[in-house]
């Protein structure tokens, strides 16, 4: 593998947790000389500079990308298309442009509509990382270390740009995979978007009952982990669930069918059927490992 | 508070994770002179002695309780009634008897049927602790430290025994609460049993799809935490879901109603309604704290 390129300037659009962590990680790895940042919120922008996440406060997205050979769009998914329009005219012909959105079909469609000839330089990316706590104050140079990053290049994207994107994320300690935007959205509807929807529903179902407070006080570590993702950012998840609506609803139908089967076994007091259904789930989960390193012979992980 | 009593002999019926951890914790706290253990599995019993969890291998449950002033029944919930019958004639008149089952209505009903006059000495207990990995090899003297323990005495239970039970668990570092068996089962259907059922269904829904393996390899930390409880022991959870069937199915109806509402907002592409539903869930989860120490002003926890 060739040495990881060192970039002259990162143009960072959006200085929250994801963008801020990327900038910090690049700096720490010595892969960028200067970070010009833009945030729609002046206080976030100022804070990003105070924290050393960015070096220059750009007065607009357009000016942040001016002179940049690497551009990261780390704004809410719903704001991505406006960002493409805003920066298009000053993205240099060799600049690598990436985003970090959790859905890819909608981002690629927006790029096709609004990024025009720059589409060849755009490598849509989805780092499987995050925290419930958003904002530049939680930016962390180690956020992407050990995580997976999915690249979903369009047919128009130049291979050289995909290679550079792969090198950058690998240098930050991530494990890079590549797939089509459609395959990405189907997979993440299953393993991320639906779980979030279910966790939101589980919290709301408790909240709708008069004994909610009493119930919640009794909850233990299993509940803590099961519902952790329910604390995620409402506007981010509104956008994700709407952008990937069809796939998420399709996965919700699979989930309801599996729940029906379990409930039926309970209603029939069919102990053997119920145990067999639980064993399927338990064995599948015990075999699973973060990052795809499943080991069929391994014992279940410690909690 | 009076000093914690020191027991002459713990009669431990069932030497798995829960029972083994209790014995180790009591020993480490200097609260018991001798542990006589019984397990239906000879290899478990031998291992319990090798690990120092028990001092004496009893040839039967009956002989384990002979001479014991403290008895812990830590067998699968479905085996509890047979245990009551097996030990009844040798439980001393002053002995404190507890269980550790995750459901309480069925255990109390079994005690009423089969423990007869010993019901006055029985303090049903549910420690909110556990691991996905079962068995005496994972027994851990710190398992109950910092966890909640729910006591659900029957009307016949002597107050002095409830006080002693409270002292023992408090001495092991647990936070003790008391409620009726019915209130317990309704609450834990909500915050534990239904979440397990949903996690089982989520795993099975993925497993039923041809791309299951590919999907699972892409899953990240959110999925890891959301599905952790799906790796739980199948026979234990079969018993819990059957024992608390009516309450769990009632909670499943609440859950489906909340899921319907979220899905409807997605289908209508009603961004404002969807965000408001997610915000409800997110804020409720962000306020929640393990052990009931909710702080309405606190920021969300770190992952």
């Amino acid at each position: 593998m060739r040495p990881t390129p060192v970039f002259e300037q990162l143009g960072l659009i959006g200085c929250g947790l994801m963008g801020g962590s990327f900038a910090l990680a690049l700096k720490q790895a010595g892969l960028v000389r200067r970070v010009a940042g833009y945030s729609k919120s002046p206080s976030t922008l100022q804070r990003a500079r105070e924290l050393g996440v960015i070096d220059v406060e750009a007065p607009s997205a357009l000016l942040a990308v001016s002179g940049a050979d690497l551009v990261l769009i780390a704004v809410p998914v719903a704001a991505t298309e406006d960002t493409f329009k805003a920066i298009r005219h000053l993205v240099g012909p060799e600049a690598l442009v990436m985003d970090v959105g959790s859905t890819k079909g909608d981002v690629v469609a927006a790029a096709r509509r609004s990024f025009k000839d720059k589409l060849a330089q755009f490598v849509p990316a989805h780092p499987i990382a995050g925290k419930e706590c958003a904002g530049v104050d939680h930016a962390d140079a180690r956020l992407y270390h050990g995580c997976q990053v999915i690249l979903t290049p369009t047919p128009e994207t130049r291979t050289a740009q995909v290679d550079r994107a792969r090198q950058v994320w690998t240098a930050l300690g991530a494990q890079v995979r590549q797939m089509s935007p459609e395959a990405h959205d189907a997979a993440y509807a299953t393993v991320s978007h639906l779980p979030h929807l279910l966790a939101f529903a589980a919290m709301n179902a408790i909240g709708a009952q008069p004994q909610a407070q009493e119930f919640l006080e009794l909850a233990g570590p299993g509940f803590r982990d099961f519902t952790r993702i329910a604390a995620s950012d409402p506007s981010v998840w509104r956008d994700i669930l709407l952008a990937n609506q069809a796939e998420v609803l399709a996965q919700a139908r699979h989930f309801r069918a599996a729940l029906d089967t379990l409930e039926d076994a309970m209603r029939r007091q069919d102990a053997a059927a119920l145990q067999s259904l639980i064993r399927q789930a338990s064995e599948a989960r015990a075999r699973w490992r973060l990052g795809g390193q499943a080991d069929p012979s391994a014992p279940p992980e410690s909690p």
Side-chain angles (χ1 to χ4, degrees), chain A residues 214-277:
Chain A
E214 186 194 330
F215 288 163
L216 288 172
E217 286 179 11
L218 296 166
F223 179 85
R224 175 194 59 204
D225 293 351
F226 180 75
T227 59
R228 181 177 67 81
I229 52 177
S232 299
D233 184 83
S235 62
V236 168
W237 281 91
R238 170 202 66 198
D239 291 348
I240 291 172
L241 294 178
L242 291 178
N244 205 19
Q245 188 229 45
E247 294 287 353
V248 176
L249 292 175
Q251 288 300 326
R253 286 190 292 276
H254 286 293
F255 169 80
R256 284 173 186 264
L259 182 58
D260 286 344
T261 309
L262 280 154
E263 286 191 36
D264 283 349
M266 287 173 65
R267 263 187 215 98
R268 289 183 283 112
Q269 292 275 333
D270 186 339
L274 185 58
Q275 180 168 0
S276 152
L277 291 165

Side-chain angles (χ1 to χ4, degrees), chain A residues 39-220:
Chain A
S39 167
K40 159 178 107 151
S41 148
S43 61
T44 295
L45 195 59
Q46 194 190 333
R47 189 81 185 119
R49 180 123 104 103
E50 285 166 8
L51 291 168
V53 166
I54 64 173
D55 304 303
V56 179
E57 299 181 30
S60 69
L62 184 67
L63 290 172
V65 307
S66 171
D69 47 356
L70 175 60
V71 173
L72 192 77
I73 301 173
V75 299
V77 170
T80 307
E81 183 154 7
D82 283 345
T83 304
F84 286 137
K85 287 181 190 160
I87 66 175
R88 186 159 68 92
H89 296 292
L90 285 187
V91 168
E94 295 304 323
L96 165 63
V97 182
M98 299 190 287
D99 76 321
V100 293
S102 299
T103 51
K104 299 271 66 108
D106 60 326
V107 167
V108 167
R112 200 171 292 284
R113 279 191 304 267
S114 306
F115 215 30
K116 314 263 176 173
D117 57 305
K118 305 292 182 194
L119 189 59
Q121 294 167 244
F122 180 48
V123 182
H126 175 202
I128 315 305
K131 301 181 179 178
E132 281 64 63
C133 41
V136 70
D137 283 300
H138 298 101
D140 172 0
R142 301 277 299 170
L143 184 66
Y144 301 117
H145 192 91
C147 84
Q148 294 196 78
V149 174
I150 317 297
L151 304 181
T152 66
T154 71
E156 291 84 354
T157 308
R158 288 205 302 263
T159 316
Q161 298 290 18
V162 180
D163 290 345
R164 288 213 295 165
R166 184 180 286 272
Q167 284 178 302
V168 171
W169 288 107
T170 303
L172 302 189
Q175 190 189 336
V176 176
R177 287 175 183 247
Q178 189 172 326
M179 63 180 71
S180 72
E182 297 72 28
H184 169 280
D185 287 357
Y188 284 95
T190 313
V191 297
S192 171
H193 309 165
L194 179 71
H196 279 77
L197 184 68
L198 300 177
F200 299 144
M203 286 305 303
N204 286 351
I206 297 174
Q209 299 177 60
Q211 318 95 306
Q213 192 51 44
E214 186 194 330
F215 288 163
L216 288 172
E217 286 179 11
L218 296 166

